[in-house]
């Protein structure tokens, strides 16, 4: 149980972290029934983990809750990246875009638990996606919360623009190093 405060409202998030072992398959299915949003996580440096997303999606798609695709990033040594690794990253980005469409994901977020980068964004986006889903399906009164969320989107967009510029700068420096 985790408490998150978002736009002056309190939200309690309950997490069930359930692995893929077949022995707990029934336990997993029982935990899905009251889920507001699924976080489909994969390791960005494990191809099998990424491939397993389709299996997990098949298991959860009978429930009406939306899903968010979450890439778990490990440290990348930007100083010693090879042309092959740059090519692999570009291919992974293309595959992720395809997977987001295929799994009908509401969002895709890459986070790094070691550095904390975007970890809170995963949780706040989960709240937002859940509220929007409830609104779409006329489940409760979420208008006030959504108004508060929309008011702060300008700040979020500005922050994202800065992050995109930083990422583009990093990619450009990587390309220069590889060339």
């Amino acid at each position: 149980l985790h408490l998150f405060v978002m736009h002056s409202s309190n939200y309690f998030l309950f997490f069930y972290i359930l692995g893929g072992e077949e022995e707990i398959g029934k336990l997993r299915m029982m935990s899905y029934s009251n889920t507001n949003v699924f976080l489909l996580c994969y390791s960005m440096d494990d191809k099998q983990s990424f491939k397993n997303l389709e299996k997990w999606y098949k298991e959860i798609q009978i429930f009406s809750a939306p899903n968010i695709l979450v890439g778990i990033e490990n440290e990348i040594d930007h100083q010693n990246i090879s042309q092959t690794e740059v090519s692999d990253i570009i291919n992974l980005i293309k595959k992720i875009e395809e997977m987001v469409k295929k799994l009908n994901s509401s969002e895709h977020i890459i986070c790094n638990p070691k550095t904390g980068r975007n970890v809170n964004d995963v949780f706040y986006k989960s709240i937002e996606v859940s509220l929007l889903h409830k609104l779409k399906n006329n489940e409760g009164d979420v208008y006030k919360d959504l108004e508060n969320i929309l008011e702060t989107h300008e700040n979020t967009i500005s922050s994202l623009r800065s992050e995109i510029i930083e990422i583009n700068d990093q990619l450009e420096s990587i390309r220069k190093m590889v060339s």
Side-chain angles (χ1 to χ4, degrees), residues 58-142:
K58 286 177 185 174
E59 190 170 294
I60 65 166
Q61 72 182 11
I62 62 171
F63 300 93
S64 65
N67 75 75
I68 297 174
L69 203 57
V70 181
I72 308 300
E73 167 185 78
N74 290 318
E75 290 302 310
I76 296 174
D77 183 1
H78 295 289
Q79 303 301 320
N80 297 316
I81 193 164
S82 69
Q83 180 64 40
T84 304
E85 291 170 317
V86 170
S87 180
D88 288 347
I89 291 170
I90 292 169
N91 288 333
L92 177 61
I93 291 169
K94 289 177 185 175
K95 288 179 182 178
I96 290 169
E97 290 170 353
E98 292 169 6
M99 189 66 77
V100 167
K101 290 177 186 172
K102 190 174 191 174
L103 303 185
N104 197 26
S105 297
S106 300
E107 295 285 335
H108 176 253
I109 302 172
I110 296 174
C111 69
N112 187 322
K114 285 184 180 178
T115 65
R117 184 168 101 41
N118 293 339
V119 172
N120 280 338
D121 293 348
V122 172
F123 303 126
Y124 290 118
K125 189 54 75 173
S126 298
I127 294 167
E128 185 178 321
V129 165
S130 176
L131 291 172
L132 288 170
H133 179 74
K134 286 181 177 187
L135 178 64
K136 229 189 220 180
N137 293 299
N138 297 318
E139 297 174 11
D141 183 16
V142 294

